[in-house]
Amino acid sequence: MNFFNRVGQIGLGVALVGGVVNSALYNVDGGHRAVIFDRFSGVKNQVVGEGTHFFIPWVQRPIIFDIRSRPRNVPVITGSKDLQNVNITLRILFRPFPDQLPKIYTVLGQDYEERVLPSITTEVLKAVVAQFDAGELITQRDLVSQKVSDHLTERGAQFGVILDDISITHLTFGREFTLAVELKQVAQQEAEKARFLVEKAEQTKKATVISAEGDAQAAVLLAKAFGDTGEGLVELRRIEAAEDIAYQLSRSRQVSYLPTGQNLLLNLPTTATQ
């Protein structure tokens, strides 16, 4: 009986010790880091790496941070150099500096990205976009993206945030600018059409001039021929015209040729008057 009581006491003691030890352990998963908050000394400067670690229950509390790159889309409405409304959306891959996690937790908290990324993104985009016209934002998009990336990376580092990738995923303009672009395209099409009509008129004019010059030269040649040959040329043209008319009439089925000097009327009997 005493043996079983002894075993029960030992088992109870082991369970209590196990419970205490288990409550003093915490795990840091892969891609995460921990910061220890102490009730007496505050946030410790030491950053705890991956694995299982001890802490003092009630006195200390571990705060886990994800240090892997995470995406975030930040939409911003700003203005261009020529005062056009521009809607831009940036896709940012961010993560914290592991060594600066105690400072980040003390100054910003665990939701540091909510406090930092929207504000610095809006600030940088307004400053960069204001340097370009609406047309330049389209034609020089690579330059705009590079400037935004450089300035935003520098600003993020001031808060202990690493920006691995920054890209412009959405870029649109206000309704007025879109309508102006459409009207400009229509005007360009009308200008192209007008230019085509002008070129066509020029070609027609040149053809008319050439035809008139040809007729003038023909008239000069005819006048010269009349002067050299007299009425012979006119008679030749009359004969050629008569041949052409005869040829055309010979092909018609409704035309018949009759010999000359003959009376084709039927000889009808006549009554002699006495």
Side-chain angles (χ1 to χ4, degrees), residues 43-212:
V43 178
K44 294 183 176 296
N45 291 327
Q46 180 184 3
V47 178
V48 182
E50 301 167 357
T52 301
H53 307 276
F54 287 96
F55 73 103
I56 302 174
W58 188 83
V59 176
Q60 295 179 334
R61 176 168 58 91
I63 298 98
I64 308 298
F65 281 88
D66 188 351
I67 63 169
R68 296 171 296 183
S69 293
R70 289 178 291 162
R72 181 182 176 89
N73 292 328
V74 182
V76 177
I77 300 177
T78 183
S80 62
K81 185 178 180 180
D82 53 351
L83 304 180
Q84 297 294 335
N85 291 328
V86 184
N87 300 319
I88 300 181
T89 300
L90 286 185
R91 184 179 185 273
I92 302 173
L93 286 178
F94 70 95
R95 57 189 174 91
F97 280 100
D99 296 339
Q100 297 188 26
L101 287 177
K103 178 181 177 182
I104 292 175
Y105 179 73
T106 302
V107 177
L108 301 173
Q110 284 185 279
D111 58 345
Y112 63 93
E113 70 274 9
E114 297 290 341
R115 302 172 183 267
V116 173
L117 293 181
S119 60
I120 64 173
T121 300
T122 302
E123 174 191 352
V124 170
L125 278 177
K126 286 182 178 294
V128 173
V129 172
Q131 302 175 12
F132 298 88
D133 294 335
E136 293 174 345
L137 291 174
I138 300 175
T139 59
Q140 302 181 24
R141 183 165 179 167
D142 292 340
L143 178 60
V144 175
S145 179
Q146 185 62 43
K147 282 194 171 186
V148 170
S149 179
D150 293 342
H151 288 75
L152 203 54
T153 300
E154 182 180 352
R155 291 287 288 140
Q158 296 176 3
F159 294 93
V161 179
I162 303 173
L163 303 181
D164 293 323
D165 182 70
I166 302 170
S167 58
I168 300 176
T169 59
H170 183 72
L171 176 62
T172 58
F173 300 93
R175 182 178 180 182
E176 294 80 6
F177 179 78
T178 304
L179 180 60
V181 171
E182 293 177 353
L183 293 176
K184 182 179 179 181
Q185 292 177 347
V186 172
Q188 289 177 346
Q189 293 176 355
E190 293 293 336
E192 290 292 332
K193 181 179 179 180
R195 187 176 67 177
F196 170 76
L197 294 176
V198 170
E199 292 179 353
K200 183 179 179 181
E202 289 290 336
Q203 295 297 327
T204 304
K205 180 179 178 181
K206 290 180 180 179
T208 303
V209 171
I210 293 173
S211 177

Side-chain angles (χ1 to χ4, degrees), residues 226-244:
F226 286 147
D228 295 340
T229 61
E231 296 296 330
L233 181 60
V234 176
E235 187 66 23
L236 177 61
R237 291 289 185 267
R238 185 182 296 112
I239 295 173
E240 291 177 351
E243 290 180 350
D244 184 65

Side-chain angles (χ1 to χ4, degrees), residues 6-18:
R6 187 68 176 174
V7 171
Q9 293 175 356
I10 294 174
L12 180 60
V14 171
L16 291 175
V17 171

